[in-house]
Amino acid sequence: MKVFDPEGREWAVDRRFAPWRRWVQPFAGLAGGYRHYKLTPDWGLYLDDEPKARDEAEDNGPLDKVATGAFGLLVFLEALVHVPIYLLLGLFLMPFLVLESLCQGVAGLVAMGVRRFRRAPVRVDVLAWHKKQSGLASLTILRVHDDLAGPLIIELGALVRDRVMFDPGDPAVHETLTRFGARVERHRTLLRWRAVRR
């Protein structure tokens, strides 16, 4: 479920359907590291939002056209070299990616079996992105009984719509989590309390 808070920030309250994709990543190092949620500051707050005035460059006539053509030729030659290298690298990594998918499939079957027979709690994530979708601003991971996950997501979506941050210590949020028997596994945020003008 996606909702927007009073400041226009997008929030997502979702149940994680495939945690085994996070658990089993044997070859994630080849793709640039372990994939997980990571909070990032909103660098747009620190940069000047005003567009800077652009000085008009002087037109040097034919010299500019020759320079532009030479640059285009260099980019084309570089692409001729890089494309075959990336294709070969992709063919080399394909068996590893297939093996990783098989490992994740086996882990998923085991996890679903354990969850079904042991009635293990499911994971619900409450995420907020910065206004320009430049990164994750808030992350809360909850554990709740499987049957209560759907109603909890609906109620948390309604709560987030009225707030500029999600805090499990907030009385209204705490009351909702207690009523559904949800346990807070992790909560991190870069957002701060602000008064909302009505």
Side-chain angles (χ1 to χ4, degrees):
M1 169 186 288
K2 293 188 187 305
V3 295
F4 290 89
D5 69 13
E7 291 188 353
R9 186 179 297 106
E10 183 180 330
W11 289 77
V13 185
D14 286 319
R15 175 179 173 171
R16 278 298 285 269
F17 283 102
W20 51 87
R21 295 188 65 194
R22 184 173 40 91
W23 301 336
V24 182
Q25 297 184 30
F27 305 109
L30 295 174
Y34 189 78
R35 298 183 299 271
H36 62 282
Y37 288 133
K38 183 178 179 182
L39 296 184
T40 55
D42 186 4
W43 298 112
L45 295 175
Y46 307 107
L47 300 175
D48 187 12
D49 289 334
E50 298 276 328
K52 296 189 177 177
R54 222 175 175 180
D55 296 331
E56 293 203 13
E58 294 178 13
D59 186 19
N60 292 332
L63 187 59
D64 278 349
K65 291 179 182 173
V66 170
T68 304
F71 179 71
L73 182 63
L74 286 174
V75 170
F76 177 72
L77 291 174
E78 183 182 19
L80 281 179
V81 172
H82 283 198
V83 168
I85 290 173
Y86 287 136
L87 285 174
L88 288 173
L89 184 62
L91 288 174
F92 172 74
L93 293 179
M94 187 62 69
F96 295 105
L97 296 175
V98 169
L99 185 59
E100 183 175 65
S101 297
L102 288 173
C103 292
Q104 289 175 352
V106 170
L109 290 173
V110 171
M112 285 177 18
V114 168
R115 180 169 290 156
R116 186 171 302 265
F117 292 112
R118 293 194 57 214
R119 297 192 171 273
V122 297
R123 174 175 158 170
V124 173
D125 294 349
V126 183
L127 310 168
W129 282 270
H130 294 296
K131 290 182 185 175
K132 295 181 180 178
Q133 300 289 320
S134 58
L136 200 59
S138 181
L139 165 66
T140 306
I141 298 173
L142 306 171
R143 295 284 180 183
V144 67
H145 190 274
D146 191 17
D147 298 338
L148 300 175
L152 176 65
I153 288 170
I154 293 169
E155 193 149 338
L156 290 181
L159 282 173
V160 168
R161 204 174 281 125
D162 297 332
R163 288 165 171 68
V164 295
M165 72 175 293
F166 182 84
D167 182 12
D170 180 14
V173 176
H174 181 72
E175 189 271 328
T176 300
L177 296 179
T178 303
R179 190 159 28 92
F180 282 92
R183 178 173 51 91
V184 179
E185 189 170 287
R186 185 164 43 141
H187 172 69
R188 290 192 60 220
T189 186
L190 299 175
L191 304 175
R192 297 289 172 258
W193 285 107
R194 282 183 289 285
V196 180
R197 294 179 186 163
R198 302 235 179 235

